[in-house]
Amino acid sequence: MASVCIIGSGNWGSAIAKIVGANAKNQSSFADRVTMYVYEEIIDGKKLTEIINQTHENVKYLPGHKIPENVIAIPDVVEAAKDADILIFVVPHQFIQRICSTLQGKIKPTAVGLSLIKGFDKKEGGGIELISHIISKQLQIPISVLMGANLASEVANEMFCETTIGCKDKVMAPVLRNLIQTSYFRVVVVEDVDSVECCGALKNIVACGAGFVDGLGLGDNTKAAVIRLGLMEMIKFVDVFFPGGKLATFFESCGVADLITTCYGGRNRKVSEAFVKSGKSIETLEKEMLNGQKLQGPVTAEEVNYTLKSKNMENRFPLFTAIHRICIGELKPTDLIDCIRSHPEHMDEEASPSSMTLKSPKCRL
């Protein structure tokens, strides 16, 4: 039986814990006990791990939802992960380097990972690296990814949705699907791992643009333009920096579905709207509005711009560039409209979506 550890316990981590805990308990191929690494906090004088283990509720990040009793909150990441066969990573991407450094040499060498982390990490001297690549390289284990139109609150409320797992290992693919899938959480597995992961990161940048549009009161037609142009730049970015992907991947839940969902809901859109209306900084709004959660869109926009600037390619991704410059105060939110008006209608030939194969992913379960 495979033992499972969830590394992270924010609202998304806690929502996934509901699913994983129930599936582990009900399927003989998984060990009943699921560990969950929880960053220790004091809530009303009590440790958060104690509250979770006693009440089976993450009262800070997912209040009002019961976590299965077989999910055990542990404040030490090494203790939580040391015996796991499957490690599910679901922490803000800013923390993954530190967590991996802590876990090096202290997990099973036969373990496999599943990353739910949306974002990139900057390389010295320019460029970015996928989070799954960082985990795999530091821990020397194979990593798959899960991305999709999955607002944590709706998943926790068991509203039907789809998600995408990117996994190249045809043996592990059905195992991961069985661990995650429920009657209300449908999983599709594809082999195009890097494209799946990039979609999950890049859509948060576009969601900031959608939030700016909402803050300016410009309506759904303008937001649709931002979403369309954002999807074009997402496809181009993957084709340029992580070539070999399949265009079909962008039509899975990790792609256009997640993009639409995030641009109409989610924290990045919400904070970006408040940024325009309130005049407060994004950092201030993150503290005021997110109850300790981290905002991914502006950070990812900065990481992407770091790459584009180092390659002298900002003009080829004008929407990504404009959103980043608005986030850091170099442009006004109203300048986004000028970007939309002047955005090139056709992408240059070597980076066009047509250079990607239109074939469906080979491993679609």
Side-chain angles (χ1 to χ4, degrees), residues 25 39 46 89 91 97 162 188 210 290 360:
K25 188 175 183 64
Y39 178 76
K46 292 188 68 176
F89 295 88
V91 294
Q97 292 273 13
E162 299 176 314
V188 171
L290 298 186
S360 296

Side-chain angles (χ1 to χ4, degrees), residues 294-313:
K294 294 297 181 182
L295 199 64
Q296 299 299 319
V299 176
T300 304
E302 193 276 329
E303 291 161 348
V304 165
N305 187 259
Y306 174 78
T307 292
L308 298 179
K309 204 166 189 176
S310 70
K311 305 292 184 183
N312 196 28
M313 294 175 67

Side-chain angles (χ1 to χ4, degrees), residues 195-208:
S195 297
V196 171
E197 185 170 2
C198 286
C199 283
L202 296 171
K203 57 92 182 183
N204 283 329
I205 303 175
V206 186
C208 291

Side-chain angles (χ1 to χ4, degrees), residues 11 14 57-66 156-157 291 293:
N11 66 336
S14 297
E57 179 184 353
N58 189 332
V59 294
K60 179 166 185 180
Y61 296 110
L62 198 68
H65 294 277
K66 288 295 181 181
N157 284 322
N291 191 34
Q293 298 175 63

Side-chain angles (χ1 to χ4, degrees), residues 245-266:
K246 297 177 174 65
L247 188 58
T249 303
F250 292 86
F251 296 93
E252 297 290 350
S253 180
C254 62
V256 66
D258 196 10
L259 176 62
I260 293 169
T261 297
T262 310
C263 287
Y264 280 90

Side-chain angles (χ1 to χ4, degrees), residues 72-149:
I72 309 301
I74 299 174
D76 184 319
V77 68
V78 174
E79 181 65 25
K82 65 180 183 179
D83 296 321
D85 300 294
I86 299 174
L87 298 165
I88 300 175
F89 295 88
V90 55
V91 294
H93 76 277
Q94 299 95 313
F95 303 142
I96 197 62
Q97 292 273 13
R98 176 176 58 81
I99 286 175
C100 285
S101 296
T102 303
L103 289 175
Q104 278 181 342
K106 297 172 183 175
I107 61 172
K108 284 185 175 182
T110 55
V112 299
L114 178 66
S115 174
L116 282 61
I117 300 172
K118 299 180 177 181
F120 301 105
D121 197 51
K122 290 191 291 188
K123 294 180 180 178
E124 290 186 13
I128 52 178
E129 192 167 12
L130 293 176
I131 300 300
S132 66
H133 293 188
I134 293 171
I135 299 171
S136 182
K137 184 166 58 178
Q138 290 203 24
L139 299 184
Q140 295 295 301
I141 60 173
I143 299 290
S144 300
V145 300
L146 181 151
M147 307 283 158

